[in-house]
Amino acid sequence: MTDEPNVLGEYLRARRELVTPEQVGIPVSGTRRVPGLRREEVAMLSGISAEYYLRLEQGRDRNPSVQVLKSIGRVLQLEDDTYLLGLAAERPRRNRGKGRRETVPASTARFVAELPFPAFIEGRYLDVLVANPLAAAISPRLQVGGNRLRDVFLDPAEQALFSDWEGAAAGLLAGFRRSVGGEIDDPRVIELVGELTLASPGFRRLWARHDVGPRAGATMTFHHPQVGAIRLDREKLAISGTEGAMLVVYHPEPQTDSSEKLALLASMAAHSDDSASIRS
C-alpha cells in the first residue's frame, strides 16, 4: 500500500455527489439514499466497468488513461477537465519536510509600489508577498505577511468588505485548489487546510466541494467602512520567473463614483504616510 494521499479518488467522489441524476438524463423514482450519482451510474455513463470506477475512487488504480478521465469528466459536468487530468499525471516525489519559500524579483516589487492602483502579489498559497499602500487602503489585511485564505475565512472585518462573501470565498478557494493541484501533502497546504478546517465552518463546507477554478479577474463590489460601496475591476496576472505568484490589481472605471472614491482613499493614504513621516 502507498502512503500517498488519494486526491484523485476524493475529487471524483466529491464531484459525483454534486451531479444530479436529472442532469445526466437518468429518470428518478422513489427516494434515493445517496446524494448525486451512484458509482455504478458514473461508470455506466462513462463506458467503464463499475469495478474499475470503484478502484479509481478507492485509490487502488491511480493511472487511468486520458480517454477514461475525459469520459468521466463529461459525466461529472466538468467545464474544464485540466485539474482532473493533472491529478492522474506522474509527478516526482518531493521532500515533504520542507515548505517552499516564495520570493518576488526586486524589480517586480518596485513596479507594484509605483502602480497608481491598489496592487499586491499573492503566492501560490495565497500569501501576500508584496503590497502597495493603496492595497492596504482597500483592506488593512492586504499587507506583506497576510494570507488571503486566512483573512477571508477568519476575519469578520474582511468578510464585511464583500458584497458577495460566499461567491468571493468560493472563487478564492477554487483558485487555491487549482494553484496547489494534487499536492495536498505539501507542508504549507497541510498547515493552511488544517487550521482553516478547524476554525471555519464555511471553509469546511466549501473545501468539501472540491471546486476548482482559475485565479482570474472579476468585478468586485466592496463595502468600504470609509467611502461606502466601491466597484472595482480585478485583474490577476501571472508573474514570470515565479512558481505560481500573481499580480493582483484593482482599478475603477474612469469618471465614475468609484473612481472618485478610490482617489479619496489614495489621498487619505498619502496623508497618513505624510503624518507618519513627520512623527518619525
Side-chain angles (χ1 to χ4, degrees), residues 18-29:
L18 294 175
V19 180
T20 66
E22 292 82 1
Q23 287 178 295
V24 294
I26 294 177
V28 177
S29 60

Side-chain angles (χ1 to χ4, degrees), residues 108 111-112 115 117-128 130 142 147-149 152-153 158 162 167-179 213-220 222 232-240 242 244-251:
T108 305
F111 172 70
V112 172
L115 285 173
F117 301 116
F120 64 98
I121 293 175
E122 65 180 23
R124 73 187 299 264
Y125 309 105
L126 307 192
D127 294 314
V128 179
V130 174
L142 287 174
N147 177 271
R148 296 308 295 146
L149 285 175
V152 168
F153 281 99
E158 186 73 13
F162 295 95
L172 190 71
L173 194 52
F176 172 73
R177 193 179 279 278
R178 168 66 65 83
S179 178
R215 296 162 70 189
T219 298
M220 312 289 294
F222 296 104
L232 300 171
D233 292 320
R234 184 192 68 202
E235 313 298 336
K236 286 197 173 188
L237 309 171
I239 299 176
S240 61
T242 67
M246 303 197 80
L247 170 64
V248 184
V249 181
Y250 292 112
H251 60 102

Side-chain angles (χ1 to χ4, degrees), residues 25-266:
I26 294 177
V28 177
S29 60
T31 301
R32 291 172 64 94
R33 292 179 296 174
V34 297
L37 298 177
R38 300 185 178 100
R39 291 190 183 96
E40 57 269 25
E41 291 170 340
V42 176
M44 177 191 66
L45 294 171
S46 301
I48 60 178
S49 72
E51 171 59 26
Y52 181 59
Y53 181 79
L54 177 62
R55 292 204 305 270
L56 289 178
E57 277 203 7
Q58 292 180 339
R60 292 187 286 133
D61 189 320
R62 298 176 183 239
N63 296 290
S65 69
V66 171
Q67 181 181 3
V68 165
L69 288 177
K70 283 185 171 291
S71 182
I72 293 174
R74 285 192 294 271
V75 175
L76 299 183
Q77 310 286 297
L78 299 181
E79 295 181 4
D80 183 352
D81 59 14
T82 304
Y83 179 77
L84 174 60
L85 296 176
L87 290 181
E90 290 288 341
R91 288 186 300 271
R93 292 176 63 89
R94 296 182 292 102
N95 184 342
R96 298 184 190 178
K98 297 180 180 179
R100 303 185 187 184
R101 182 174 180 272
E102 297 183 284
T103 60
V104 175
S107 60
T108 305
R110 186 173 67 249
F111 172 70
V112 172
E114 294 171 351
L115 285 173
F117 301 116
F120 64 98
I121 293 175
E122 65 180 23
R124 73 187 299 264
Y125 309 105
L126 307 192
D127 294 314
V128 179
L129 306 178
V130 174
N132 65 14
L134 259 181
I138 292 293
S139 168
R141 274 71 60 185
L142 287 174
Q143 297 190 23
V144 175
N147 177 271
R148 296 308 295 146
L149 285 175
R150 282 198 181 106
D151 292 339
V152 168
F153 281 99
L154 300 182
D155 194 312
E158 186 73 13
Q159 295 169 1
L161 282 176
F162 295 95
S163 61
D164 177 16
W165 177 84
E166 179 85 10
L172 190 71
L173 194 52
F176 172 73
R177 193 179 279 278
R178 168 66 65 83
S179 178
V180 300
E183 298 178 6
I184 62 170
D185 58 336
D186 182 300
R188 182 76 171 119
V189 177
I190 293 173
E191 174 193 10
L192 278 171
V193 173
E195 174 188 355
L196 293 170
T197 297
L198 291 174
S200 170
F203 178 88
R204 290 196 297 272
R205 175 170 49 81
L206 292 174
W207 184 252
R209 289 177 57 90
H210 284 250
D211 288 337
V212 181
R215 296 162 70 189
T219 298
M220 312 289 294
T221 298
F222 296 104
H223 293 295
H224 197 278
Q226 292 173 296
V227 298
I230 180 169
R231 182 180 175 88
L232 300 171
D233 292 320
R234 184 192 68 202
E235 313 298 336
K236 286 197 173 188
L237 309 171
I239 299 176
S240 61
T242 67
E243 189 176 356
M246 303 197 80
L247 170 64
V248 184
V249 181
Y250 292 112
H251 60 102
E253 185 177 345
Q255 299 180 341
T256 61
D257 180 59
S258 291
S259 66
E260 294 177 0
K261 290 179 178 180
L262 184 59
L264 176 59
L265 285 175

